[in-house]
Amino acid sequence: MRFVSLGDNIRHHRMQKGLSLHELSRRSGVSPSMLSQIERGVKNPTVQVACRIAEALSVTLSQLLGEEPRRQTILIPKHRRPVYREEETGVERHVLSPAFPSKGVELVMNVLPEGTDTGVFPPHQPGVTEVVYVEEGELEVTLDSSTYRLAEGDSLYFEADVSHRFQNVGKGRCRYFLVIDSHTRD
């Protein structure tokens, strides 16, 4: 596994879009001081905060993690897979698909230790959908004010333009796969 730093990639995308720290802060809801600390590698954001920044930059989290867009058949060996791990909680996000900005589909495996959750993710842009598949454990998915409990083998499709949260509500770890389709519908 290859653990990555987000700071340089966030700065690169922010500068490429001509955004100041204050403008990115306004768009993401993350303070300018926190953004500066993340960009300098002083702080490591939670996955939820990283997703808010990605959404504000109109890129995928995979792109922020440094996965290069590529064409044709691509093998991602396990030892080269981008993995983001929150030190405090042990929550892991394994990027299983390459980042294709024009295609807008991501496959991610998430691992939540017992009793942990992802925090609340902000709504995506209209047209973005997600599919969750629970491979191991029990997962509670909260979409705005609605809650769904998924067991091993269950899946859930939802329009992701609502706030959403994933919580391990079972014994032991919960491992689930998430397909995020960012194709916008015209």
Side-chain angles (χ1 to χ4, degrees):
M1 288 184 287
R2 174 172 63 100
F3 292 94
V4 295
S5 168
L6 296 175
D8 289 339
N9 290 335
I10 291 172
R11 180 181 298 112
H12 169 77
H13 285 285
R14 178 176 64 79
M15 299 298 275
Q16 191 175 45
K17 295 185 184 307
L19 299 176
S20 67
L21 281 174
H22 290 285
E23 179 60 20
L24 181 55
S25 172
R26 187 187 68 73
R27 292 180 179 195
S28 67
V30 178
S31 73
S33 63
M34 175 61 86
L35 287 169
S36 175
Q37 290 175 7
I38 292 168
E39 284 188 359
R40 291 181 287 129
V42 175
K43 290 273 187 181
N44 213 8
T46 64
V47 171
Q48 182 245 0
V49 168
C51 284
R52 287 171 41 197
I53 295 168
E55 189 73 21
L57 290 169
S58 299
V59 298
T60 66
L61 184 55
S62 297
Q63 289 171 290
L64 281 188
L65 290 171
E67 182 62 29
E68 294 294 321
R70 301 179 191 148
R71 291 186 173 163
Q72 306 192 11
T73 303
I74 299 169
L75 170 66
I76 303 174
K78 182 178 179 180
H79 70 279
R80 294 204 53 222
R81 173 190 311 158
V83 176
Y84 186 79
R85 185 174 193 275
E86 291 181 16
E87 294 302 320
E88 191 173 304
T89 63
V91 170
E92 293 181 3
R93 180 181 179 99
H94 299 248
V95 179
L96 303 177
S97 60
F100 289 112
S102 63
K103 296 191 181 351
V105 176
E106 288 184 87
L107 174 60
V108 179
M109 178 180 65
N110 293 285
V111 180
L112 300 178
E114 186 173 335
T116 62
D117 68 73
T118 61
V120 177
F121 290 97
H124 289 288
Q125 296 174 3
V128 175
T129 60
E130 296 188 16
V131 177
V132 180
Y133 170 77
V134 178
E135 182 180 61
E136 176 183 1
E138 293 180 60
L139 184 69
E140 185 174 273
V141 180
T142 303
L143 307 174
D144 274 344
S145 59
S146 300
T147 301
Y148 303 87
R149 192 174 185 127
L150 286 73
E152 287 181 21
D154 290 346
S155 61
L156 176 71
Y157 165 90
F158 63 96
E159 295 178 9
D161 59 350
V162 297
S163 62
H164 44 289
R165 174 179 179 237
F166 305 95
Q167 181 177 9
N168 180 349
V169 292
K171 298 289 183 196
R173 76 177 183 176
C174 177
R175 182 171 51 209
Y176 65 97
F177 291 88
L178 187 60
V179 177
I180 305 165
D181 182 354
S182 298
H183 285 109
T184 55
R185 313 300 189 257
D186 293 324

